[in-house]
Amino acid sequence: MSNSELLVQKFGGTSLADLKGFNASADIIESYAAARRVIVVLSAVKGVTDLLLEAIDTAVEGGNGAHYMEQAIDSERSITDELSKRGISTPLASEFLEEQHATLTRREEGIRLLGQCPDEARARILASGEGFSSRLMVDLLQHRGLSAQWSDTDVLPLANDSWLDSLVDIEAAVPLLAQRLEEGAHITVLPGFYGRNADGGIQLLGRNGTDYSAAAIAAATGASLCQIWKDVDGFFSADPRIVSNAQCLDEVSYDEAMELTYFGAKVISAKALAPLAGKQIPCEVRNTYDPSKPGTLVHSGAERTHVVRGISHLHDVTSITLQGGGLRGRVGIARRVMDALASESISILLIVQSSSEYSITLCVRRADEIKARKALEEEFHFERLHGLIEEISVQSDRAVVSLVGDGMKRYRGIAARFLTAISSAGVNVEVLAQGSTECAIAVVVKGEAAQSAMRACHTAFFSHSTHIDVILLGCGNVGGELLAQFQRQAESLREHHADLRVRAIADSNRLLVADDVLDLDCWREDLEAKGRPWTIDDVIAIRENLGLLNPTIIDCTTDEDLALQYVRFLSNGFNVVAANKKANTASLDYYREMREAAAKNFRKFLYETNVGAGLPVIDTMQGLMRSGDQLKTFEGILSGSLSMIFGLMEDGMPLSAAVAKAMEMGFTEPDPRDDLSGMDVARKLLIVAREVGMQLELDDIDVEPAVPLDAVSHVDRSELINALQSLDEDFATRIRAADAEDKVLRYVGRIEDGKCRVAIEAVPARKPLGAIRDGENALVLHTHYYQPIPLVLRGYGAGGAVTAAGVFGDILRTVWRPLDQQAG
Ligand code: ADP
Ligand code: ASP
Ligand code: MG
């Protein structure tokens, strides 16, 4: 039967929170009723069903259930009182309310005395909320002079005998509804949520059952459209309360809507979709408080060109795993699991079997956990007794996150992107399931991680850019410059589909965490004013607290203790980008541990600036080694300050004056002895050596300091230049001797014959290192492929700007695909 005239409208609790909601709903009914016949189905006033439920449960426990009953009645009465103040009478609703008040109070007493509440009584109590709201709507519509009539739900005969979660016998409802329409007024108003059995008894249609009432009525009357009115603009790509940039969808197919609602999208109850899909009745989800918006159309003609339609999540899920060698190869295990749970009326949300048949995991609602466990323990008693099954493991507080879209089956790589997104939020996937319709992929994760997972997936599929959430530790020269570069590049990065967000910064004393993003215009002042003392635990906690995406810690300090925390950072789901060299020059064991932690956790550990600052040293070397090249010898000028000092001496400046000048130009550490000791060069050489596979410790590097340390170590910093004068003559002599052979002195790090040495060398003026001065760095690699002419990398190897640029490059490299391929 098709009834092209008829419209079914459902208003949920969110549309009926108060008088304003009732009036908004009545406006909508009135405007549609001008052109067509309307059947209106109503939920209870917002919160009333929950209060009645609370009242019953409290009374069963012997508590003061009446208190909650009163609250429910009060929230209803406040609406009729307000109307009466405005001179609008509500005869139907008020009479019902007073009668209910007496009945509910009596029932509550009975439940408390008995200590139990039979399902039949429970159904009658809970249905009273809909009884009230539907009558009130009739009063309101009649007051407006409209032809509106209340109808009982005896026109919805039931298909089974469940008191609390029944089905409507739609075929049997067809003639009953037809007759009611024939006799009835232009607008028929029915309470949702329940039907009546042959004895006239009330049976509920399950929580949020009004959607199902409306769908069943639409199906039985062959209505041309069913409208579900809510407090949101329509069906969103994700729960708008969790994902702030969720998008309202124009349309979804029935299958998509079913998958989305089954796993949590509270838009239409999942149960309501079957009658609508069965009769192909289009359904609009609209906003009561903004009826000008078109809302979302659920129908069979939804476009299938999109990849993913939405993401939903279901909380309070328990996952249960049966595992053991005894399951392997045995027929009927899955059936027994299902039967055991079905016999307890427990619905299985999701079930997967490992391909080795070694384990079966299933998910149920938390409310069913205890019953489910018991049922399975009994069913598999024999297997457990004989060790064929290990203990049944039960994980509470899980959530199912699912990705839904009809278009998925036509595209490749969706599951990979889904899982990568979840992993970018540092969330562990415990179970993965894809239905054979390929309309949805679902994962089970820890409950507390669901929000982060949702947000990460939403970003991956609905925003075309990659997000990187950054925590910067150390905002001195390099860190400060890096923040300035972020700020300058923000626009251009967005054009290239990267959204880089600084979520926290710290110096050695203070940590400043932003709920959203830090304001890079005034980070210094904010850090000073709002920063707090911090520990490593504080930094680690930021990821979960803020639900970071691609969380990346940037170490721009020179702190050794911090460097020793990288393994923890990586194991806790962070990428690490280090300008700090201390980690890669710590013990070999730690060096390996960091790489293992990065690999195991699928995180990136990047440190391109450890050698040669912005020069592409590490990446180039890794590329060569991966392609099978081998290092024969390496020589390099790896210190910008020593490059400057030795260049000045070559021009005839004495050592002491050259050091003073380099200091003045900002080319040295605050105490130049840190450069002159050669240890910084030794660290860089060790990093190069380890990169080509040499298993060395820092102690294995033979270091000859640039100046004899005993000559300068005892003096105060202010006396340093004077002390260095005692060495001027010695250096001048060495330089002259070298010059006589057409050589120049350079401070060189060298790898040769399996040994690493850092020392002053006289190098031929015309060879690559001979030309390196004025702060420049050079790395000369003689390799199997690069011979006899070596590969030479040269350029500035120090300074805030180039180092920060190198760190910046590493940060962008933490994301898994080239940024320019993000679009679409
Ligand atoms: P009603 O009781 O009026 O039927 P509900 O409270 O049951 O309404 O559901 C409406 C709420 O569902 C919205 O306020 C919204 O926060 C939430 N919601 C969850 N997921 C989605 C989604 N994907 N799209 C729209 N709303 C959603
Ligand atoms: N009032 C009922 C509930 O809260 C039914 C509904 O709102 O659809 O479950
Ligand atoms: Mg509701």
Side-chain angles (χ1 to χ4, degrees):
M1 181 182 83
S2 149
N3 202 333
S4 59
E5 270 284 282
L6 187 66
L7 170 66
V8 175
Q9 296 186 311
K10 176 256 171 173
F11 293 86
T14 56
S15 303
L16 305 173
D18 47 22
L19 182 55
K20 180 171 159 261
F22 271 88
N23 277 331
S25 304
D27 288 345
I28 291 166
I29 298 167
E30 182 172 359
S31 74
Y32 278 93
R36 55 212 294 192
R37 282 199 82 175
V38 178
I39 300 186
V40 177
V41 191
L42 295 185
S43 292
V45 170
K46 188 176 181 187
V48 162
T49 314
D50 287 335
L51 285 166
L52 294 173
L53 204 56
E54 190 73 42
I56 297 172
D57 292 344
T58 309
V60 168
E61 297 294 321
N64 182 7
H67 167 72
Y68 296 104
M69 295 264 180
E70 290 294 340
Q71 271 187 27
I73 301 235
D74 282 351
S75 69
E76 296 174 335
R77 190 177 284 131
S78 69
I79 305 176
T80 49
D81 284 354
E82 202 173 329
L83 281 165
S84 126
K85 266 192 240 146
R86 297 182 189 188
I88 300 171
S89 67
T90 49
L92 281 177
S94 297
E95 190 190 333
F96 180 82
L97 195 59
E98 294 326 311
E99 192 189 300
Q100 279 303 302
H101 195 182
T103 331
L104 288 177
T105 316
R106 234 186 310 113
R107 291 215 165 106
E108 190 271 337
E109 256 176 48
I111 297 167
R112 195 152 24 87
L113 289 173
L114 278 173
Q116 57 167 311
C117 179
D119 286 349
E120 187 179 350
R122 186 179 283 264
R124 244 179 294 140
I125 295 171
L126 293 182
S128 68
E130 271 66 14
F132 170 80
S133 60
S134 53
R135 286 173 172 87
L136 181 60
M137 185 56 81
V138 174
D139 287 332
L140 282 178
L141 295 173
Q142 287 180 350
H143 175 77
R144 291 173 180 226
L146 299 169
S147 153
Q149 203 169 42
W150 187 83
S151 161
D152 201 349
T153 57
D154 50 349
V155 284
L156 294 182
L158 299 165
N160 59 355
D161 58 4
S162 162
W163 289 106
L164 303 179
D165 195 2
S166 188
L167 288 168
V168 173
D169 181 344
I170 292 179
E171 290 316 315
V174 172
L176 299 177
L177 272 159
Q179 198 186 344
R180 181 73 35 98
L181 281 174
E182 211 174 292
E183 298 160 354
H186 188 63
I187 303 170
T188 307
V189 182
L190 287 106
F193 191 32
Y194 67 91
R196 284 193 190 268
N197 58 27
D199 303 328
I202 284 177
Q203 289 181 212
L204 301 182
L205 304 174
R207 281 309 305 266
N208 300 310
T210 308
D211 289 343
Y212 177 65
S213 309
I217 291 172
T221 53
S224 59
L225 179 65
C226 177
Q227 291 178 329
I228 307 272
W229 292 88
K230 309 231 123 197
D231 63 341
V232 282
D233 286 344
F235 223 122
F236 278 74
S237 50
D239 188 338
R241 287 167 300 190
I242 293 175
V243 179
S244 56
N245 56 349
Q247 299 155 13
C248 185
L249 307 169
D250 303 339
E251 56 172 4
V252 292
S253 72
Y254 295 115
D255 283 348
E256 290 169 331
M258 268 182 224
E259 294 284 359
L260 282 167
T261 52
Y262 184 70
F263 283 122
K266 246 183 110 193
V267 187
I268 314 181
S269 90
K271 196 171 161 184
L273 286 156
L276 294 171
K279 300 270 165 142
Q280 302 265 304
I281 294 172
C283 173
E284 282 177 1
V285 182
R286 303 275 296 268
N287 190 345
T288 308
Y289 303 97
D290 193 354
S292 63
K293 296 248 170 76
T296 305
L297 183 63
V298 186
H299 66 144
S300 54
E303 279 259 8
R304 280 156 204 263
T305 49
H306 63 281
V307 185
V308 166
R309 198 72 91 172
I311 299 160
S312 60
H313 77 298
L314 189 66
H315 263 297
D316 292 334
V317 168
T318 296
S319 84
I320 303 182
T321 300
L322 275 76
Q323 80 176 40
L327 295 181
R328 212 166 273 150
R330 291 187 61 200
V331 177
I333 300 283
R335 181 190 53 74
R336 283 171 60 198
V337 168
M338 305 233 198
D339 284 353
L341 298 186
S343 66
E344 292 292 325
S345 304
I346 297 168
S347 81
I348 300 178
L349 297 168
L350 172 159
I351 181 161
V352 285
Q353 182 173 35
S354 68
S355 55
S356 65
E357 295 188 341
Y358 182 70
S359 70
I360 290 188
T361 299
L362 56 103
C363 291
V364 297
R365 290 198 170 73
R366 191 170 58 224
D368 291 330
E369 173 184 317
I370 295 172
K371 268 201 300 181
R373 175 190 209 139
K374 203 160 150 261
L376 291 171
E377 281 173 356
E378 278 166 16
E379 175 64 37
F380 292 94
H381 178 72
F382 174 83
E383 283 84 353
R384 287 171 57 236
L385 199 66
H386 295 280
L388 298 171
I389 290 186
E390 295 159 18
E391 270 317 291
I392 296 174
S393 92
V394 176
Q395 313 281 348
S396 308
D397 288 328
R398 294 309 191 253
V400 181
V401 174
S402 23
L403 185 71
V404 175
D406 279 342
M408 261 194 236
K409 40 182 157 298
R410 283 179 297 105
Y411 294 88
R412 278 164 220 287
I414 303 299
R417 201 153 152 189
F418 182 46
L419 296 177
T420 305
I422 295 177
S423 137
S424 76
V427 175
N428 182 39
V429 169
E430 297 181 342
V431 182
L432 168 69
Q434 179 177 23
S436 54
T437 61
E438 285 189 55
C439 175
I441 309 175
V443 293
V444 178
V445 300
K446 284 212 174 74
E448 73 253 20
Q451 292 207 355
S452 306
M454 287 276 290
R455 291 195 186 119
C457 293
H458 198 270
T459 304
F461 286 97
F462 291 89
S463 109
H464 293 318
S465 52
T466 292
H467 291 236
I468 309 172
D469 279 318
V470 162
I471 298 176
L472 174 65
L473 305 178
C475 2
N477 185 15
V478 175
E481 173 61 31
L482 182 64
L483 291 173
Q485 291 183 5
F486 285 166
Q487 203 173 14
R488 284 200 297 275
Q489 286 307 104
E491 191 60 34
S492 137
L493 281 176
R494 262 194 294 279
E495 279 165 20
H496 290 85
H497 310 288
D499 187 3
L500 202 148
R501 296 178 293 186
V502 182
R503 308 300 297 269
I505 53 175
D507 60 17
S508 47
N509 303 317
R510 302 179 212 84
L511 170 73
L512 175 66
V513 183
D515 283 342
D516 189 17
V517 286
L518 281 172
D519 184 350
L520 296 184
D521 283 334
C522 50
W523 64 267
R524 274 180 219 281
E525 296 78 359
D526 287 351
L527 180 61
E528 179 81 35
K530 296 183 230 153
R532 297 268 168 276
W534 59 281
T535 64
I536 296 296
D537 289 339
D538 297 331
V539 172
I540 289 177
I542 298 173
R543 185 178 65 71
E544 271 187 15
N545 292 349
L546 298 186
L548 302 190
L549 295 184
N550 286 315
T552 302
I553 288 182
I554 302 165
D555 180 2
C556 288
T557 73
T558 52
D559 189 335
E560 189 150 4
D561 292 337
L562 184 61
L564 295 178
Q565 301 297 332
Y566 291 0
V567 168
R568 266 189 85 194
F569 291 150
L570 293 162
S571 309
N572 278 282
F574 291 94
N575 299 307
V576 175
V577 171
N580 184 352
K581 291 184 269 295
K582 301 284 167 51
N584 275 328
T585 53
S587 72
L588 255 180
D589 284 346
Y590 184 70
Y591 185 83
R592 292 193 195 105
E593 257 182 74
M594 286 188 293
R595 281 148 182 86
E596 268 167 33
K600 267 197 210 141
N601 295 284
F602 297 97
R603 296 295 105 167
K604 296 257 170 65
F605 169 43
L606 299 172
Y607 45 87
E608 183 55 84
T609 53
N610 275 191
V611 182
L615 296 179
V617 176
I618 305 291
D619 202 39
T620 307
M621 290 183 63
Q622 288 178 345
L624 284 178
M625 296 306 124
R626 266 188 233 117
S627 63
D629 202 357
Q630 279 163 7
L631 185 80
K632 303 236 172 273
T633 54
F634 168 87
E635 48 190 3
I637 291 179
L638 301 171
S639 156
S641 24
L642 294 174
S643 158
M644 176 59 81
I645 291 166
F646 279 81
L648 292 169
M649 287 198 289
E650 187 187 331
D651 293 342
M653 203 181 267
L655 168 73
S656 55
V659 172
K661 175 102 198 257
M663 263 177 94
E664 197 185 297
M665 292 165 77
F667 264 85
T668 66
E669 294 295 318
D671 186 339
R673 279 170 291 197
D674 291 340
D675 300 302
L676 296 169
S677 75
M679 280 321 289
D680 183 54
V681 175
R683 286 187 189 276
K684 290 175 185 165
L685 192 66
L686 176 64
I687 294 169
V688 170
R690 285 177 168 179
E691 218 44 70
V692 298
M694 295 171 74
Q695 317 270 317
L696 299 175
E697 300 284 2
L698 191 55
D699 286 350
D700 297 327
I701 314 271
D702 181 7
V703 186
E704 179 203 302
V707 300
L709 288 180
D710 45 8
V712 290
S713 58
H714 57 283
V715 298
D716 192 66
R717 202 200 295 183
S718 58
E719 288 297 309
L720 180 68
I721 301 298
N722 283 342
L724 282 170
Q725 282 171 0
S726 66
L727 300 168
D728 283 350
E729 189 43 44
D730 181 31
F731 267 86
T733 312
R734 285 171 76 178
I735 288 170
R736 275 195 301 276
D739 190 43
E741 294 177 32
D742 204 12
K743 288 181 174 173
V744 290
L745 292 195
R746 293 290 179 260
Y747 196 65
V748 177
R750 175 177 297 280
I751 304 175
E752 208 165 48
D753 303 328
K755 298 218 167 48
C756 294
R757 183 171 154 72
V758 177
I760 298 174
E761 289 186 13
V763 300
R766 272 182 288 274
K767 283 282 165 100
L769 294 189
I772 302 304
R773 43 175 297 163
D774 302 334
E776 206 185 352
N777 275 21
L779 295 97
V780 180
L781 293 120
H782 300 264
T783 72
H784 188 62
Y785 295 161
Y786 283 91
Q787 59 175 353
I789 298 177
L791 171 68
V792 180
L793 293 164
R794 59 179 279 189
Y796 272 124
V802 287
T803 311
V807 171
F808 203 155
D810 274 349
I811 297 171
L812 297 181
R813 242 175 278 152
T814 58
V815 293
W816 68 295
R817 45 196 172 144
L819 295 171
D820 286 332
Q821 291 177 17
Q822 305 279 309

